[in-house]
Amino acid sequence: MFHRIGKIFVLATGALLLAAVAHAQPASTSGSTDPQLKAAVNGSWRSAAHKERDRYRHPIKTLEFFGIQPNMTVIELDAGDGWYTEILAPYLYAHGHLIEPTVPSGASSYARRSAKTFNAKLKSDPKVYGHVERGLPFAPPKQVKLGPDNSADMVVTFRNVHDFLNAQALDAVFKAAYNVLKPGGVFGITDHRARPNTDARVVARELHRIPEDYVINAGLKAGFRLAGTSEINANPQDPEDILVFRLLPALSGPASEHAKMKAIGESDRMTIKFVKP
């Protein structure tokens, strides 16, 4: 399978990238799970359809790989319909802070429609979302500042980095994440993985994927240290050369291919942890 991270590292160019990989740490294998995080994932407010995605997205393992703690200040970028917000909001409710950037009126019609649905979700259950804080307007590439410098413990974004590249804003968003994080703060990323050594801009635009080595290089360029990569969200059944929306959960292709796409599951995904020195 082309996605294997060791193969990516061999193929990736640049001495700086190779040096960073040499110092990267693997995911924790302790097997212990934060009971508060487990309770948030199992919460009754999460729909059956969203819980069905857990077996592909591994939220507990992913967030524990990033090193999340319930007293952190966490910024979530481009939350979409709030799949991860349903977990982050209750987990950080009592002792932490979850900040969700707002969508300005000048954003795209798609972004504004998504924001309307997301805002309705936040208002729907104060016991779950009542402590979610709204952040600065976020609309790459024009508006990317995430808050005061050195003010957050963690920035996370799930399946969005290819969109930042499509908006010609990837470097700006990564630098904004670097600036808002405290020293030692974590930038946690998952995204649809493309085959290594493919043209990042082409596959981002046409397949909604991005090569892992490209993302790692962007993080290093922004000033981050690569703290680790994980295969938590890998899917070796994904050929990595098809539009991700043909796979679950969207199944946007013809009905004749749905059974095949369901057998594959969701897309093969990279999971990357950067740390601000």
Side-chain angles (χ1 to χ4, degrees):
M1 188 62 197
F2 287 98
H3 75 260
R4 284 298 158 204
I5 192 66
K7 189 173 291 185
I8 291 176
F9 290 155
V10 171
L11 295 172
T13 58
L16 185 60
L17 173 60
L18 293 175
V21 170
H23 290 89
Q25 299 298 313
S28 171
T29 56
S30 64
S32 60
T33 298
D34 182 341
Q36 291 177 256
L37 186 55
K38 186 175 181 180
V41 169
N42 292 332
S44 60
W45 54 88
R46 298 187 66 219
S47 68
H50 278 196
K51 287 182 177 180
E52 171 65 16
R53 310 266 66 78
D54 290 355
R55 62 187 173 126
Y56 302 113
R57 300 180 181 182
H58 310 99
I60 291 176
K61 290 182 178 180
T62 299
L63 292 172
E64 288 191 334
F65 173 68
F66 292 156
I68 199 165
Q69 297 294 324
N71 61 348
M72 283 183 167
T73 295
V74 178
I75 301 173
E76 182 186 16
L77 302 184
D78 277 0
D81 67 355
W83 193 93
Y84 257 100
T85 313
E86 294 176 352
I87 297 167
L88 293 169
Y91 180 69
L92 298 167
Y93 189 99
H95 303 292
H97 301 275
L98 175 60
I99 300 173
E100 298 285 348
T102 56
V103 174
S105 57
S108 68
S109 58
Y110 173 80
R112 285 184 277 113
R113 287 195 304 271
S114 296
K116 184 177 181 180
T117 301
F118 182 67
N119 292 337
K121 175 190 285 287
L122 296 186
K123 294 177 182 178
S124 68
D125 194 339
K127 292 182 179 179
V128 175
Y129 306 110
H131 287 180
V132 173
E133 303 173 23
R134 303 316 306 266
L136 296 175
F138 182 72
K142 294 181 179 180
Q143 293 173 285
V144 297
K145 186 173 178 61
L146 300 176
D149 290 355
N150 306 308
S151 61
D153 299 296
M154 183 176 287
V155 176
V156 292
T157 191
F158 305 98
R159 307 178 309 281
N160 294 310
V161 172
H162 66 279
D163 286 325
F164 301 150
L165 181 60
N166 284 334
Q168 302 182 44
L170 187 144
D171 289 344
V173 171
F174 274 41
K175 196 60 181 178
Y178 182 92
N179 290 339
V180 78
L181 285 167
K182 303 172 185 176
V186 171
F187 187 23
I189 293 169
T190 73
D191 207 355
H192 310 288
R193 188 153 44 192
R195 292 179 175 182
N197 287 348
T198 51
D199 187 314
R201 295 186 184 279
V202 171
V203 293
R205 181 179 66 251
E206 297 182 358
L207 305 180
H208 286 257
R209 299 175 182 268
I210 190 167
E212 185 164 352
D213 53 332
Y214 191 92
V215 178
I216 291 173
N217 273 314
L220 299 177
K221 181 180 177 182
F224 286 107
R225 175 176 63 85
L226 178 62
T229 62
S230 174
E231 294 298 282
I232 294 167
N233 296 301
N235 180 2
Q237 303 304 314
D238 176 12
E240 299 178 334
D241 60 357
I242 60 175
L243 178 67
V244 296
F245 299 129
R246 289 172 60 191
L247 299 168
L248 288 171
L251 294 176
S252 64
S256 60
E257 70 173 19
H258 286 183
K260 178 181 178 181
M261 296 299 110
K262 287 179 180 179
I264 293 173
E266 293 199 11
S267 67
D268 176 53
R269 289 165 191 165
M270 67 189 80
T271 305
I272 301 175
K273 178 180 179 179
F274 291 114
V275 171
K276 180 175 178 177

